[in-house]
Amino acid sequence: MTPERIQSFLIFFPILIISIALHEFAHCWVTDRLGDDTPRREGRITLNPLAHLDLFGTIMIVVSSLSGFGFGWGKSSPFNPLNFRNPARDRMLTAIAGPISNILQSIAWASLMLLLVPFTAQEWFNNAFLFCYIGVKINITLAIFNLLPVYPLDGHHILSWLAPPSWRPVIDNPIWGFVFLFIVFSHYADGIIYPVMDYAGNAVIISVLGKSVLAFLFGHPG
């Protein structure tokens, strides 16, 4: 394994673990606040990443991080819609909490980049700045990906709430979701999905640092 691959793993793996764990924690916390104590009874109202990691999803995180791009998933947040005060609305609020947590994390990483600016002369600056930069990109990617309105992603719960009730059996059907994801990522990932995620990540960074600061520190923003 090359030193570059090891460095990539050391950057991607911890950030992705933290990002996914906080994403699932947000789901569980909002579920609990909306009246369903299922996550609390299963020990999921915690910031401990181990409580939110899925075995196969974590293996995928390790393998993909070693490959340099980082991909995986956490343990699905448990909920019982019968416990919600307003099942349709609360299911949507629970779902959107995950992507919102990733957006907030991306802003936090970008803000940390800004705090690092005075230390540009330090030897460790480039690695620290890159670590934060990847933190922004990973979280924006997770937010956008999970907002896609297809099963099993969070966006399908949002679409199900917005759509007429007669449409919900189709929206909640896993077959359509997996077919859609296969078509999109096999034909349009490089041309549409990944560029949108990249520009969204840069937009967050620029909004915090400013374009001129980012260009000076890190080259053009992309």
Side-chain angles (χ1 to χ4, degrees):
M1 185 178 297
T2 65
E4 292 78 12
R5 189 62 58 84
I6 294 175
Q7 182 185 34
S8 177
F9 173 78
L10 293 176
I11 292 175
F12 276 102
F13 183 73
I15 294 176
L16 197 53
I17 288 290
I18 293 171
S19 303
I20 290 175
L22 290 178
H23 176 105
E24 297 302 335
F25 167 78
H27 283 314
C28 294
W29 184 81
V30 171
T31 299
D32 185 70
R33 298 293 293 178
L34 291 174
D36 180 10
D37 66 346
T38 304
R40 183 173 297 278
R41 288 187 283 106
E42 296 191 13
R44 300 289 300 280
I45 309 297
T46 175
L47 292 173
N48 182 354
L50 295 178
H52 303 292
L53 297 181
D54 175 82
L55 175 60
F56 293 106
T58 303
I59 293 173
M60 181 58 71
I61 292 173
V62 173
V63 173
S64 63
S65 295
L66 287 172
S67 301
F69 62 92
F71 176 79
W73 58 89
K75 189 184 299 182
S76 298
S77 55
F79 71 95
N80 182 349
L82 298 178
N83 293 331
F84 287 141
R85 291 180 284 271
N86 185 327
R89 182 205 64 189
D90 293 349
R91 173 187 166 196
M92 180 275 296
L93 293 175
T94 296
I96 203 172
I100 288 176
S101 78
N102 292 121
I103 293 172
L104 293 177
Q105 288 181 71
S106 71
I107 294 173
W109 283 112
S111 299
L112 186 55
M113 291 170 70
L114 184 61
L115 294 177
L116 290 172
V117 170
F119 303 98
T120 54
Q122 303 297 322
E123 292 184 2
W124 51 264
F125 170 80
N126 286 336
N127 287 335
F129 198 80
L130 176 61
F131 195 87
C132 296
Y133 183 81
I134 297 301
V136 174
K137 290 303 187 74
I138 285 178
N139 277 283
I140 282 297
T141 298
L142 287 173
I144 294 176
F145 178 72
N146 279 286
L147 284 172
L148 292 175
V150 294
Y151 185 95
L153 305 177
D154 298 328
H156 105 273
H157 293 290
I158 301 170
L159 179 62
S160 182
W161 179 69
L162 294 172
S166 59
W167 293 15
R168 289 173 185 166
V170 176
I171 295 171
D172 294 337
N173 189 321
I175 295 178
W176 298 111
F178 289 122
V179 169
F180 176 84
L181 289 175
F182 174 78
I183 293 174
V184 168
F185 279 90
S186 61
H187 292 84
Y188 304 106
D190 292 334
I192 299 177
I193 301 295
Y194 295 146
V196 168
M197 293 175 176
D198 189 52
Y199 283 118
N202 287 332
V204 171
I205 296 171
I206 291 171
S207 67
V208 175
L209 271 72
K211 188 173 183 178
S212 58
V213 175
L214 181 61
F216 172 75
L217 294 172
F218 212 59
H220 66 82

